[in-house]
Amino acid sequence: MKQSEFLNIVMPFKDKLFRMSKRLLVSTEEAEDATQEILLKLWNNKEKIGSYKNVEAFAMTMTKNFCLDRLKSKQANNLKLVHSNYKDENTSLQRQVEVNDSLNWMTKILNTLPEQQRMVLQLRDIEQYEYEEIAEMLGMKQTAIRVALSRARKAVREELIKKHNYGIG
Amino acid sequence: MESVKNIEKLLEKYLEAETTIAEENRLQEYFTQDEVPAHLEEYRPMFQYFEIAKQERFTKEVPLKPGRNKSYLQWASIAAVAVLLVGVFLKQPATPSLEEEYTAEELQSAQMALAIFSKNFNKGTDGIQYLKEFETTTNKFLNNE
């Protein structure tokens, strides 16, 4: 397989891998490293790419496993990163300061969710995959995904209501 | 424009994770407009965030090594080692031993020459021993003063 062919396969979903990594690892640099690593791994196994049914789902599973491993080893080393100064780089896309503020708030809320809920929410509400695909990527049953997703959405809403009331009071 | 009733119904389904992608897109669209009813205000940052989060891009280059095949390299290295080994084995018998190359007399005279050389060399090193002794004595004098 040539480099250009490989890039054609990978290009459409590399951003999705990156966003998933960032959802789990939080820091942009770490997410970039993770994505790079995943793409290199895919490149080194490029002979096998043809035999995968769904390269995108496969790559997403790799990303998930890679990031969860990272998080695990970080905990084992007691090297918990504190992202107190974390800022979403998308702020330039926003029109209003108010919106900007609530977006940062959203990022923070999402980072408090358990990893599984975070992944499900990311894959559904941001990447808009069908439940079938998410089930394949995460190796979960569709019913379990719906349960996790429902919990995640409700939790986010709760937090936003709290924040909203606080803002008024 | 969607009626608020419809949106409320969709939101209920949404929280139970029962909406389809199309329905979720309808919600998304509804909440990215500037004005939404006050009692639905908390959903706005949610859907706005989803919309914006989609646009984040991976901008780093991936250093893919240009198309050299791994298996080709493996075979090449195996071949190189094989050639090297064959070379070493073929070369060995080619070096003739000393007895074959020189006559007995030549060898003997060479040995003698080496013996004389080493004898004289030893003399030289003995001389150095004296020099060392000389140095320690001078040091003694210097230290005494």
Side-chain angles (χ1 to χ4, degrees):
Chain A
M1 182 182 288
K2 283 204 192 102
Q3 204 171 332
S4 57
E5 284 175 71
F6 176 77
L7 288 176
N8 281 340
I9 295 175
V10 161
M11 272 300 156
F13 58 80
K14 70 172 183 22
D15 295 325
K16 296 180 186 177
L17 302 182
F18 170 63
R19 292 191 290 251
M20 178 67 152
S21 309
K22 193 170 165 187
R23 179 66 58 220
L24 286 167
L25 299 174
V26 178
S27 112
T28 306
E29 291 88 71
E30 275 188 84
E32 278 172 349
D33 289 349
T35 314
Q36 238 174 9
E37 199 95 352
I38 299 295
L39 291 177
L40 278 178
K41 270 188 195 171
L42 276 175
W43 171 247
N44 290 335
N45 285 314
K46 58 187 179 300
E47 280 81 18
K48 287 185 220 145
I49 276 186
S51 63
Y52 299 138
K53 261 196 306 194
N54 184 345
V55 183
E56 184 170 337
F58 178 76
M60 194 56 95
T61 308
M62 275 174 76
T63 308
K64 171 205 115 190
N65 291 337
F66 185 86
C67 293
L68 290 182
D69 278 353
R70 272 278 163 94
L71 289 173
K72 223 181 258 168
S73 70
K74 223 186 272 169
Q75 265 167 356
N77 292 333
N78 262 336
L79 272 174
K80 260 195 169 170
L81 279 180
V82 182
H83 298 283
S84 51
N85 60 348
Y86 169 67
K87 256 193 154 178
D88 197 340
E89 281 180 2
N90 278 321
T91 43
S92 61
L93 296 163
Q94 292 137 28
R95 294 146 290 170
Q96 314 154 6
V97 183
E98 181 199 332
V99 175
N100 182 349
D101 195 46
S102 60
L103 287 180
N104 280 337
W105 195 251
M106 266 302 288
T107 317
K108 276 184 200 145
I109 291 173
L110 289 180
N111 288 342
T112 61
L113 294 179
E115 277 136 23
Q116 201 187 57
Q117 291 184 21
R118 246 193 278 175
M119 292 192 289
V120 172
L121 194 86
Q122 173 75 18
L123 292 176
R124 179 66 180 193
D125 278 338
I126 293 168
E127 309 301 354
Q128 300 199 296
Y129 285 115
E130 292 291 349
Y131 288 115
E132 212 183 330
E133 293 172 291
I134 302 175
E136 193 189 338
M137 289 166 183
L138 301 185
M140 289 166 67
K141 288 218 169 93
Q142 288 191 35
T143 44
I145 289 169
R146 281 176 197 265
V147 170
L149 184 61
S150 168
R151 278 191 195 142
R153 285 171 173 174
K154 284 177 181 166
V156 171
R157 178 174 172 250
E158 284 298 301
E159 286 301 313
L160 285 173
I161 289 176
K162 259 192 236 167
K163 158 80 177 158
H164 191 62
N165 291 341
Y166 179 73
I168 288 171
Chain B
M1 189 82 313
E2 302 263 359
S3 75
V4 179
K5 268 262 144 49
N6 268 343
I7 292 297
E8 281 170 355
K9 232 180 255 166
L10 277 183
L11 282 174
E12 224 166 274
K13 274 177 79 183
Y14 172 78
L15 288 180
E16 297 306 322
E18 283 163 359
T19 38
T20 62
I21 297 276
E23 286 169 329
E24 284 163 23
N25 279 334
R26 268 163 66 195
L27 285 172
Q28 192 116 263
E29 213 174 294
Y30 183 82
F31 282 103
T32 39
Q33 53 175 344
D34 282 337
E35 290 295 316
V36 301
H39 71 289
L40 298 178
E41 186 60 37
E42 76 260 17
Y43 290 99
R44 207 150 66 106
M46 211 165 155
F47 286 102
Q48 271 177 349
Y49 178 84
F50 295 152
E51 191 59 45
I52 286 173
K54 266 178 216 161
Q55 297 164 22
E56 186 158 17
R57 296 275 174 269
F58 176 67
T59 49
K60 255 192 158 180
E61 287 279 310
V62 183
L64 301 177
K65 274 162 255 138
R68 194 182 279 170
N69 229 324
K70 236 199 204 163
S71 59
Y72 157 78
L73 264 184
Q74 273 172 0
W75 284 112
S77 59
I78 290 171
V81 170
V83 166
L84 207 73
L85 283 178
V86 169
V88 168
F89 279 123
L90 286 181
K91 190 95 189 164
Q92 256 178 353
T95 34
S97 65
L98 284 173
E99 280 86 353
E100 282 169 8
E101 212 174 342
Y102 303 101
T103 61
E105 284 166 43
E106 279 174 331
L107 284 175
Q108 211 167 16
S109 63
Q111 276 172 343
M112 264 168 69
L114 281 173
I116 291 166
F117 170 72
S118 78
K119 216 164 131 190
N120 284 325
F121 190 82
N122 281 339
K123 261 189 211 164
T125 51
D126 283 348
I128 289 175
Q129 285 289 321
Y130 284 120
L131 259 175
K132 235 186 183 164
E133 196 58 40
F134 177 71
E135 199 173 79
T136 48
T137 353
T138 46
N139 276 340
K140 252 183 220 162
F141 275 112
L142 288 172
N143 287 339
N144 279 346
E145 277 189 352

